[in-house]
Amino acid sequence: MSIWWSLHLRREAASVPLARRLLLGTMETAGVDPDVSYDLSVALSEACANAVEHGGDTERGGISEAYRVTAYLDGEKCRIEVADSGPGFARSERVVRRAPSEAENGRGLCLIQELADHVHIGNKPGRGGAVVSFDKILKWRKDAPLMAV
């Protein structure tokens, strides 16, 4: 069985926990192992926080810009993509480096790489904007109603 959903969210801090709760609820309902669900929810929170902070001009015509979150649970894998309409990543930013221990930010992409099995950091073609996508092999609870077979 496959499940997918897509959200268009305003670039506001309140949107981050909304996306995280929707992902956690979907995974709990499907029967995904709680440890895997937690890892993916933290990675999603980091990707959304980056989109909120760096995803474009704060205001455009009085309305906050939006970003998009898409999640796919398909068979044994979950793939999540967060895309914004900001300036995108410079080439040097696509290679994730550990932030110095005294840095107050800059750890989000490293954390995503630690929590997911595969991470892609890039830019949308054309108009621009950053895209962070990551996936993880799913583990299922024994009583999972939607477990892949």
Side-chain angles (χ1 to χ4, degrees):
M1 170 168 275
S2 297
I3 301 171
W4 70 271
W5 50 260
S6 185
L7 299 171
H8 292 264
L9 300 165
R10 286 187 178 204
R11 286 186 47 240
E12 299 171 351
S15 68
V16 177
L18 173 66
R20 182 178 175 143
R21 281 190 294 252
L22 181 58
L23 178 67
L24 283 169
T26 301
M27 296 186 120
E28 180 181 354
T29 300
V32 174
D33 177 82
D35 290 336
V36 173
S37 298
Y38 179 78
D39 286 353
L40 284 169
S41 73
V42 171
L44 174 62
S45 295
E46 292 296 331
C48 289
N50 282 345
V52 168
E53 185 173 346
H54 305 291
D57 297 331
T58 305
E59 297 290 323
R60 190 183 275 180
I63 299 173
S64 293
E65 290 183 27
Y67 66 101
R68 186 187 78 237
V69 176
T70 306
Y72 304 91
L73 279 75
D74 190 19
E76 294 293 322
K77 183 169 65 172
C78 177
R79 166 159 277 183
I80 297 171
E81 180 179 282
V82 178
D84 63 44
S85 56
F89 290 102
R91 280 200 183 278
S92 62
E93 294 173 315
R94 294 184 204 181
V95 177
V96 178
R97 294 178 180 87
R98 292 209 179 275
S101 59
E102 66 277 0
E104 292 189 21
N105 50 18
R107 293 185 179 89
L109 294 175
C110 287
L111 189 55
I112 293 168
Q113 282 194 316
E114 292 295 321
L115 295 169
D117 294 327
H118 180 263
V119 179
H120 180 284
I121 298 165
N123 294 326
K124 292 191 291 190
R127 297 185 322 171
V131 178
V132 175
S133 63
F134 50 95
D135 55 58
K136 189 166 182 84
I137 301 298
L138 298 174
K139 294 178 188 170
W140 299 88
R141 295 188 324 248
K142 291 190 189 317
D143 63 339
L146 300 180
M147 181 168 43
V149 281

